[in-house]
């Protein structure tokens, strides 16, 4: 994970995103790209004749705020002792994130499914980016103080293509983990056994332990959260949206629940 992409936005999750990205870059001896996006379409108004134009006063104020934010970040990053660069684009936020992430090993975003309650709330874009990006997404809790890259890793395994992709995407991170635990939930296996995942990791020199967790009347997602707590997990590696995104949005599902409730960072891949 040498190339780390960080979403820059002045919201309450920004500090946690930055800290997680810094921890990851240092652990992987990588490079940080800070991406600032102006959602220009939000500042476009329509006239009565069907034309469109940008509201100059609003845009000027936004540009000033962005310049201030960039200056603050650049001053801090020059003191962090890491390799970094800054990129700015105008356009749709999610589409721009996806475009720039094509050559990123991991994109750092805030873990939330909630619509912003005020202008200072993190934007719920991690799910959309994770389901469309070719690389991994690190979704961090809004109040995270640090990302323990070398702690106890937990892999949520159900034998799906998404779980396998997430596992492959996380190999370099897992190689630094204190422990690697492969978690399967009772009655949630697709027939591709966890022993195969463990064998794959062993070929990369990564030892792992297998755990099968009984549901005991809980949902799969509740069982995963309980296992993270009891195993002392530092982060969770999992496939994003094994079922269709629409179905999870309408009826709920593992990814949706964990994106809203999980207390540790999620490394997601689809």
């Amino acid at each position: 994970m040498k190339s780390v992409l960080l979403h820059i936005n002045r919201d309450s999750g920004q500090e946690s995103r930055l800290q997680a990205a810094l921890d990851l870059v240092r652990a992987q001896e990588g490079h940080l790209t800070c991406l600032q996006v102006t959602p220009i379409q939000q500042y476009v108004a329509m006239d009565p004749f069907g034309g469109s134009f940008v509201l100059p006063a609003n845009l000027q104020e936004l540009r000033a705020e962005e310049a201030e934010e960039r200056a603050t970040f650049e001053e801090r990053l020059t003191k962090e002792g890491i390799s970094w660069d800054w990129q700015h684009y105008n356009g749709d936020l999610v589409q721009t994130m996806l475009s720039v992430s094509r050559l990123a090993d991991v994109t750092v975003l805030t873990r939330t499914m909630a619509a912003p309650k005020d202008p200072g709330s993190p934007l719920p874009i991690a799910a959309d980016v994770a389901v469309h990006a070719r690389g991994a997404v690190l979704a961090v809790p809004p109040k995270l103080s640090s990302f323990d890259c070398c702690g106890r890793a937990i892999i949520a395994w159900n034998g799906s293509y998404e779980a396998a992709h997430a596992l492959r995407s996380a190999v370099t991170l897992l190689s630094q983990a204190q422990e690697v635990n492969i978690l399967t939930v009772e009655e949630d296996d697709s027939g591709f056994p966890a022993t195969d995942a463990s064998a794959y990791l062993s070929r990369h020199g990564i030892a792992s332990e297998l755990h099968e967790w009984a549901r005991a009347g809980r949902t799969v997602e509740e069982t995963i959260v309980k296992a993270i707590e009891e195993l002392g997990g530092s982060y969770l590696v999992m496939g994003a949206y094994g079922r269709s995104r629409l179905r999870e949005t309408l009826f709920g599902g593992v990814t949706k629940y964990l994106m809203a409730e999980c207390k540790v960072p999620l490394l997601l891949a689809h």
Side-chain angles (χ1 to χ4, degrees), residues 79-140:
K79 301 175 183 178
E80 293 289 348
I82 63 166
S83 172
W84 64 277
D85 72 286
W86 188 279
Q87 297 186 24
H88 176 271
Y89 293 92
N90 298 320
D92 178 79
L93 176 55
V94 172
Q95 289 304 315
T96 304
M97 294 292 302
L98 292 171
S99 178
V100 178
S101 72
R102 283 179 290 185
L103 286 177
D105 297 313
V106 60
T107 300
V108 182
L109 301 169
T110 296
R111 174 205 59 71
T112 181
M113 291 293 290
K117 296 180 180 178
D118 56 68
S121 298
L123 300 173
I125 64 172
D128 285 328
V129 175
V131 80
H132 294 293
R134 297 298 179 92
V137 167
L138 181 66
V140 301

Side-chain angles (χ1 to χ4, degrees), residues 130-266:
V131 80
H132 294 293
R134 297 298 179 92
V137 167
L138 181 66
V140 301
K143 301 300 182 181
L144 185 77
S145 59
S146 64
F147 176 36
D148 187 3
C149 305
C150 301
R152 293 181 172 89
I154 297 180
I155 302 164
W157 183 259
N158 63 358
S160 67
Y161 286 103
E162 294 81 10
H165 185 199
L167 176 63
R168 294 194 308 272
S169 299
V171 164
T172 56
L173 187 60
L174 295 172
S175 67
Q176 296 180 315
Q178 174 187 343
E179 294 178 5
V180 175
N181 300 281
I182 301 176
L183 171 69
T184 57
V185 176
E186 187 180 58
E187 301 175 4
D188 188 46
D189 186 66
S190 67
F192 204 76
T195 51
D196 285 359
S198 183
Y200 172 82
L201 290 177
S202 70
R203 298 184 192 111
H204 290 270
I206 301 172
S208 58
E209 295 185 18
L210 302 180
H211 302 269
E212 182 177 26
W213 227 262
R215 292 178 61 168
R218 298 178 290 246
T219 63
V220 171
E221 50 269 32
E222 290 169 343
T223 306
I224 292 174
V225 169
K226 182 65 174 178
I228 293 171
E229 293 174 355
E230 294 195 17
L231 293 172
S234 302
Y235 61 91
L236 178 70
V237 177
M238 64 174 289
Y241 294 101
R243 303 186 300 179
S244 74
R245 175 73 197 282
L246 176 61
R247 184 177 176 185
E248 285 222 13
T249 300
L250 293 175
F251 304 109
V254 176
T255 310
K256 182 179 179 180
Y257 180 90
L258 294 175
M259 285 288 288
E261 304 292 341
C262 191
K263 296 180 180 180
V264 301
L266 305 174

